[in-house]
Amino acid sequence: MREAVVIAREDEPGDQRLVAYLIGTEGVELDAAALRDQLLLSLADYMLPSAFVQLDALPLTTNGKLDRKALPAPDSTALARRGFEAPQGEVEQRIAAIWQELLNVERVGRHDNFFELGGHSLLAVKLIERMRQLELGADVRVLFGQPTLAALAAAVGGGREIQVPANRIGADCSRITPDLLPLADLDQATIDQLVAGIPGGVGNVQDIYGLAPLQAGILYHHLASEEGDPYVLQVQCAFSGRPQVEAFVGALDSVIERHDILRSSVHWQGLDEPVQVVWRQAPLVVEQLEPEAGGDVLQQLQQRFDPRHYRLGLNRAALMRFAYARDEHNQRWLGILLLHHILLDHTALAGLVAEMSASLSGHAQPLGEAVQYRNYVAQARLGVSEEEHEAFFREMLGDIDEPTLAFGLGDVNRDGSGVEETRLPLDAALARRLREQARQLGVSAASLVHLAWAQVLGQVSGRDDVVFGTVLLGRMQGGEGADRALGMFINTLPLRVSLGAVGVRDAVRATHGRLSQLLGHEHASLSLAQRCSSVPASLPLFSSLLNYRHSAAEEVAAVDGAAWDGIQILSSQERSNYPLVLNVDDRGEAFELVVQTLAEVGGQRVACYMQTALQGLVEALEQAPARPLRELSILPAEERQRLLVTFNATQRDYPHTQTLHALFEAQARLHPQATAAVQGGQSLSYDALNRRANQLAHHLIGLGVQPGTAWRSSWSVPWTCWPASWR
């Protein structure tokens, strides 16, 4: 393109629109839709031309200036319409077939948008895995940055596939040497010491490798907790009889036997870097308890294994424990399964329960070969370099020199005590509107949710630039089989969102773009990211967490409330070290907000703030997308009424025949030592404030001020004459 001019035309009354006139390179035909897509990357919607007219030359006046009146009206060929265009070539056609199956749509055009068709991050993981099976590897950031079929197909071959080194420890190995451990950097003496601490010695060691990013963070908080452990998960179960208890334990043992992560222990003493050791045999520890007579059995089990004071040793696999007891009053057995979060994330927990269900049903299809967790560790350790991670986070966080502390909460090394959980289902109509706006903008609903959470944090922390932790799925670049593997894949990384005067629609796109960039660094460590900011090392970078989870109804049922013949999962409990956590459960159509925070903050209050922020965001996108984000409020109507009206209902009747200062002097005579004004740590009595007011009055009189005299800025009143409450 050589030249371009954009003007506002009104060819029909009331129908004003932007039209671009273009002079292209000779012999090149410019495509209106393609031009509009390119401009979308740098311009807001309202700045985009709706039509693109290609000319050989711009019409000029006799003075050599642009003759606007001579510019032709655009015809239908100039309109930037995105019509259906069939996929071209084998790659586009194969990817389109995957989209049709995953998104349940009849046809997919090459310019269709993955998110507009209902895609989201969990489906993106499945998409990448299906493409990998067809040897169509691509950089996942393209899917989130330019989510069209054509763009994704064009990126095939651009992804970095990591070749996972094979496990070199054979079943008949008599001594493990450094060359047998491609995913760990250990000398011979350290290896021998590790192996000696494993029951059964070398014959019971299947593999040794490093920790995944979030595993390392969880280990840090495990070691930092003086009592208890916020990352011990608790699953409560009920059984109709003893045989059902035994069946449950047998099913769980069969899953442990299949998956290496469930037979792993974690070791750090005397090591430069912690490692995990995969045992060949690590049966579940089972304990039968005798409850106190007449007491609530479930409550007794909960109290005994309360994560606020109970810990699981991480150096003995499996990192689980099952305790059960007879509940005579209700004629049943009750059990609590304890497992450490360092093993499993939310998606993996659902997979574990699904495999147990297959075992307990008795007529399940044979399960395929389990995906080894070492594949993911290899992707995390051998993928994007630490230098690349550091460059990205320094660019994003380098000028952040203060932490974002919602409600002033700064302790991020908590044990989960004092935390309450509040659930708030999102209004169905609001959920539909939220998804519709996401589809129209070609972004995921998660991007809108992240922006709304940033608004909440900005207004409760008084900051225009907020940083909070976001939980990444970790499976986008998790290697082959990552969509179905068990293990700790998720990772918590900081996200920076700038609020201020930016428009709502631009803010949504900026947030989506930042999240897309973050995906390329989903295997970075949180400690590295925090070091890249200017916040002192003694302070946390953030103290709140957003966990956006795609939980289909059947997946939720699989974990919480699942039931088999004579066995029922009553509930499961998760906690973290952060004092404020928002889990957003995306159920496909509905949303549920789950807030975990301290009782003094109030989970219901935070959930209502978030719901109001989402409501305001959707309304602005529908009605005024250019409206500055800072103008949107997070206060629910009830709280706004309380703050602005109820708290200010201070009207009192007073003698209308007296002046205000005369009433004040009368109060000073009656109660001279009563507190009249407070500011910070200072206070003034009525007597002291009255004397200072008199000093000021006499000073003004000395300057010639009389009743009715206009104030002039040239007057200088000594600072010491002002009442303290006025300074």
Side-chain angles (χ1 to χ4, degrees), residues 163-235:
Q163 296 299 316
V164 180
N167 179 6
R168 301 169 187 165
I169 303 176
D172 58 349
C173 179
S174 59
R175 191 184 190 194
I176 299 174
T177 54
D179 62 297
L180 300 181
L181 304 177
L183 296 178
D185 186 14
L186 301 172
D187 59 31
Q188 188 62 58
T190 303
I191 296 172
D192 292 341
Q193 181 181 354
L194 272 176
V195 172
I198 305 299
V202 66
N204 197 28
V205 176
Q206 177 181 313
D207 205 352
I208 302 175
Y209 46 78
L211 303 186
L214 191 58
Q215 284 187 309
I218 290 175
L219 173 60
Y220 168 80
H221 289 292
H222 172 84
L223 298 176
S225 300
E226 297 180 0
E227 182 181 5
D229 190 335
Y231 288 100
V232 172
L233 308 182
Q234 192 181 94
V235 181

Side-chain angles (χ1 to χ4, degrees), residues 295-315:
D296 186 311
V297 177
L298 185 59
Q299 187 177 43
Q300 291 180 43
L301 289 173
Q302 289 173 331
Q303 291 176 349
R304 176 161 181 170
F305 298 106
D306 190 330
R308 290 174 295 183
H309 57 72
Y310 180 82
R311 295 168 69 87
L312 283 169
L314 297 186
N315 58 359

Side-chain angles (χ1 to χ4, degrees), residues 446-692:
S447 297
L448 273 71
V449 169
H450 278 75
L451 180 57
W453 184 237
Q455 287 179 267
V456 172
L457 296 180
Q459 295 193 36
V460 301
S461 65
R463 298 184 60 82
D464 280 342
D465 248 339
V466 299
V467 178
F468 58 92
T470 183
V471 178
L472 300 179
L473 200 57
R475 296 171 186 257
M476 294 290 181
Q477 302 166 91
E480 183 178 357
D483 63 324
R484 65 183 188 280
L486 299 194
M488 172 50 71
F489 285 80
I490 61 173
N491 193 15
T492 297
L493 288 174
L495 178 71
R496 175 181 182 173
V497 179
S498 298
L499 304 170
V502 65
V504 173
R505 180 171 45 196
D506 290 345
V508 172
R509 289 201 172 112
T511 303
H512 182 78
R514 184 79 79 179
L515 283 169
S516 301
Q517 295 171 338
L518 197 60
L519 284 175
H521 301 273
E522 65 176 352
H523 297 158
S525 71
L526 177 58
S527 59
L528 178 149
Q530 289 176 319
R531 290 198 306 269
C532 293
S533 76
S534 298
V535 174
S538 59
L539 298 175
L541 177 60
F542 56 85
S543 64
S544 63
L545 194 66
L546 172 61
N547 185 7
Y548 188 97
R549 308 184 295 203
H550 290 282
S551 305
E554 59 270 18
E555 183 181 285
V556 175
V559 179
D560 206 354
W564 303 285
D565 185 18
I567 305 174
Q568 181 181 9
I569 293 181
L570 301 176
S571 68
S572 58
Q573 298 178 357
E574 297 180 45
R575 287 289 184 269
S576 83
N577 55 285
Y578 291 97
L580 176 59
V581 177
L582 172 65
N583 296 303
V584 179
D585 286 323
D586 184 335
R587 303 284 171 81
E589 290 295 333
F591 291 96
E592 185 174 32
L593 308 179
V594 184
V595 178
Q596 294 176 342
T597 190
L598 303 180
E600 55 264 34
V601 172
Q604 185 67 31
R605 172 191 180 195
V606 175
C608 289
Y609 285 169
M610 183 63 181
Q611 180 172 257
T612 306
L614 287 169
Q615 179 80 31
L617 199 58
V618 168
E619 289 178 356
L621 289 170
E622 292 171 341
Q623 302 169 16
R627 183 180 179 185
L629 195 64
R630 62 167 49 146
E631 294 182 3
L632 306 185
S633 175
I634 66 167
L635 289 180
E638 181 180 348
E639 185 167 346
R640 176 179 287 274
Q641 174 74 12
R642 185 166 61 252
L643 292 175
L644 299 182
V645 179
T646 306
F647 287 171
N648 288 306
T650 57
Q651 301 89 345
R652 293 184 62 185
D653 194 17
Y654 64 95
H656 295 278
T657 58
Q658 295 189 47
T659 61
L660 181 61
H661 65 271
L663 289 171
F664 179 83
E665 289 180 336
Q667 181 75 2
R669 288 193 299 271
L670 290 172
H671 305 285
Q673 300 309 313
T675 300
V678 177
Q679 180 178 6
Q682 294 182 319
S683 63
L684 280 177
S685 67
Y686 273 94
D687 180 65
L689 181 55
N690 188 44
R691 283 188 281 106
R692 291 202 181 188

